[in-house]
Amino acid sequence: PRAISLQRWWRVVRGDKIARKLRSVVDRASAEHRSLVAELLALRAACDESAARQAGPQQAGPPGRASGAKRFEMWVSLQVGLPEEAEQPPAFTGTQVFSARSAVLRRAGGYLLDFFGDSANVGCKTDGGHYRIERSWKHFEAVLDYVRDGSCALPAAYSPKSQDNRRASSEEEELREFVREAGFYRIRPLLDLATSRLLRCRYSSPRMLSLLAERGLL
């Protein structure tokens, strides 16, 4: 009888341990999900707020062309990259230079319109004659492709090649980075495109995707 009692006790204890472990896994997954949804909703709200502000009363005439105001050149060069002291992946240190038409950048809205729509920024160039954007250049080429053409290649998983200092990354990791870049530049259509791809990459359950659609994220 004592042995049977011990076996029963052990089964209860073991069952409780498994239940606690399961609850821990579920709680962790739920926390990650809530964090992702909150971040996506915040990025979307920032884009909407920016668009509403920029759609308000504007000074007559194209940006930077008010009487006596300086104008941006037709083509401008952008030096994109984080400051040297900022923490960043070894493969994406330093800066890269990109060029684009200033009118195209203004048409993108968001961050680019805020900067290139303000004639006070015309003279804000580096010694090399570039306009500085203190943001990682990793995904900027794709963002610029979208600004120019209305389409771009979204990032995929990465496997390092020989003598490559870029770490391996999953498609979900790359897409989450890209979503943050689209949110930083406040380009709502690009944010929506990348968000949809990210959520379909992360979640395979039709029920979950339906719930996310109800939240306006798909």
Side-chain angles (χ1 to χ4, degrees), residues 57-73:
Q58 297 290 324
Q59 187 175 26
R65 296 193 179 184
S67 177
K70 294 180 180 179
R71 301 181 185 181
F72 285 96
E73 298 168 331

Side-chain angles (χ1 to χ4, degrees), residues 35-45 179 191 195 198-199 217:
S35 175
L36 174 60
V37 169
E39 181 178 15
L40 294 176
L41 290 173
L43 291 174
R44 180 165 291 191
V179 161
L191 176 64
T195 295
L198 169 61
L199 294 177
L217 289 172

Side-chain angles (χ1 to χ4, degrees), residues 45-64:
C47 287
D48 291 345
E49 183 278 330
S50 178
R53 173 174 50 79
Q54 292 172 345
Q58 297 290 324
Q59 187 175 26

Side-chain angles (χ1 to χ4, degrees), residues 24-25 46 58 82 90 100 108 110 116 121-122 142 150 154 157-158 160 162-163 178 202:
S24 176
V25 171
Q58 297 290 324
L82 292 169
F116 290 100
N121 294 324
V122 170
L154 294 176
Y158 185 79
S162 58
Q163 299 180 343
F178 191 85
R202 180 180 176 90

Side-chain angles (χ1 to χ4, degrees), residues 101-117:
R101 292 177 60 187
S102 56
V104 170
L105 297 175
R106 286 193 292 271
R107 195 164 62 234
Y111 174 93
L112 296 171
L113 175 56
D114 279 346
F115 187 90
F116 290 100

